[in-house]
Amino acid sequence: MTESELQKLIEKLLHHKESDGFIEFKTNQFERTGEYISALSNDACLKNQEFGYMIFGISNDKKVVGTNVDFRTKKHPGNQLFEIYLRTQISPSINFEIFYFKQTGH
């Protein structure tokens, strides 16, 4: 997915109601990420959505605030990369993708 496509997707998701349940905005809290991935996947399925979305760097009031969460470098205790830890610990396995880009305003 290109940066332009990600920008358009974010704009679209920002217009959804919070009660949609398959979209979660986060700032810097990565704790319970596996639980959120599972819940978002379940809710997307229940609401006939192809995907669930967890978006870091946007506050609950839908303002771009940035984030310092970077799963490419974040380590789980035991020195395992957090993304790899998530992929091995979520059961049943859920396919997820992580995209990184700079949001240019809202």
Side-chain angles (χ1 to χ4, degrees):
M1 187 172 277
T2 68
E3 195 161 312
S4 175
E5 291 169 328
L6 286 168
Q7 294 280 355
K8 288 176 186 172
L9 176 60
I10 297 291
E11 288 299 319
K12 177 182 163 190
L13 295 174
L14 284 168
H15 290 92
H16 277 267
K17 297 177 284 197
E18 288 186 37
S19 62
D20 282 343
F22 59 93
I23 303 166
E24 183 73 30
F25 296 105
K26 296 283 182 200
T27 52
N28 291 318
Q29 321 90 312
F30 68 92
E31 295 84 6
R32 300 178 56 198
T33 300
E35 292 175 37
Y36 280 110
I37 290 171
S38 180
L40 291 166
S41 175
N42 288 337
D43 209 51
C45 184
L46 289 171
K47 293 182 177 160
N48 294 320
Q49 297 294 315
E50 191 172 359
F51 302 105
Y53 301 91
M54 185 177 344
I55 303 159
F56 285 88
I58 297 179
S59 64
N60 285 334
D61 58 356
K62 300 183 179 181
K63 292 190 172 123
V64 176
V65 295
T67 186
N68 61 12
V69 173
D70 186 340
F71 291 108
R72 297 170 293 194
T73 58
K74 178 73 182 151
K75 301 275 181 124
H76 183 270
N79 214 27
Q80 185 178 38
L81 285 175
F82 198 75
E83 180 180 348
I84 293 169
Y85 171 79
L86 286 174
R87 292 189 186 283
T88 60
Q89 295 301 307
I90 295 174
S91 180
S93 182
I94 297 172
N95 187 23
F96 65 90
E97 292 185 59
I98 300 174
F99 298 97
Y100 296 90
F101 71 104
K102 291 189 183 272
Q103 175 73 12
T104 55
H106 171 250

